[in-house]
Amino acid sequence: MNTTIEIVDRGRGPQLSTSRITVQDLLPYYRDGASDEEIRRWIPSLSDEEISLLKEYIRIHYDEVLRAEARIKAYHDRMRNAQPVWTRTTDNLSLAERRTLLRERLARKAQEDVGHDSAR
């Protein structure tokens, strides 16, 4: 079966006709000048042909892709700002700090659960 690979828009912005991988998914790698091998390390389902097509689309439509990225970021910022403040209390923490905090919370929860079970 010979499938033609092209860029289509199914309502989520430009994406591959062969998968749900969007142009925006590849943009950070394109911007960093990542090799096809580096891209495949993070998105292993992509073929050389798909990567080439995405890179070519970004190259040709670069300004449009950047405007779309700005719109997406603005949307995410609006959604984040609409959330209660308590949901953003760890935004300034590194991933390691978040993991440590989560482990501490889980340990406290486990201790509370043990205390509740022994009270029965």
Side-chain angles (χ1 to χ4, degrees):
M1 182 174 162
N2 192 358
T3 304
T4 302
I5 302 170
E6 54 191 357
I7 301 293
V8 297
D9 191 339
R10 295 188 177 127
R12 298 173 353 121
Q15 71 180 64
L16 289 169
S17 60
T18 53
S19 74
R20 291 179 51 98
I21 303 295
T22 68
V23 168
Q24 293 298 323
D25 292 331
L26 200 79
L27 182 59
Y29 305 103
Y30 178 87
R31 200 181 277 141
D32 289 346
S35 69
D36 291 2
E37 293 75 31
E38 290 171 304
I39 293 169
R40 246 189 316 284
R41 235 179 284 149
W42 293 103
I43 313 174
S45 63
L46 290 178
S47 68
D48 288 337
E49 188 178 355
E50 290 169 325
I51 292 171
S52 293
L53 183 62
L54 287 164
K55 284 181 173 180
E56 182 70 5
Y57 184 93
I58 292 170
R59 187 185 67 72
I60 292 170
H61 300 93
Y62 193 68
D63 290 337
E64 177 186 336
V65 169
L66 291 183
R67 284 191 301 274
E69 179 187 41
R71 283 191 306 274
I72 292 166
K73 182 184 180 319
Y75 171 79
H76 285 215
D77 288 346
R78 282 193 311 274
M79 293 299 103
R80 169 174 254 137
N81 289 334
Q83 294 174 343
V85 174
W86 63 266
T87 65
R88 299 188 303 268
T89 58
T90 61
D91 282 358
N92 62 333
L93 299 178
S94 71
L95 186 55
E97 291 169 324
R98 288 179 192 205
R99 283 185 184 134
T100 300
L101 185 61
L102 180 57
R103 286 186 184 110
E104 290 170 357
R105 288 178 181 167
L106 289 172
R108 277 196 305 272
K109 176 77 171 118
Q111 286 299 321
E112 290 171 7
D113 290 347
V114 168
H116 290 294
D117 287 343
S118 64
R120 289 181 192 183

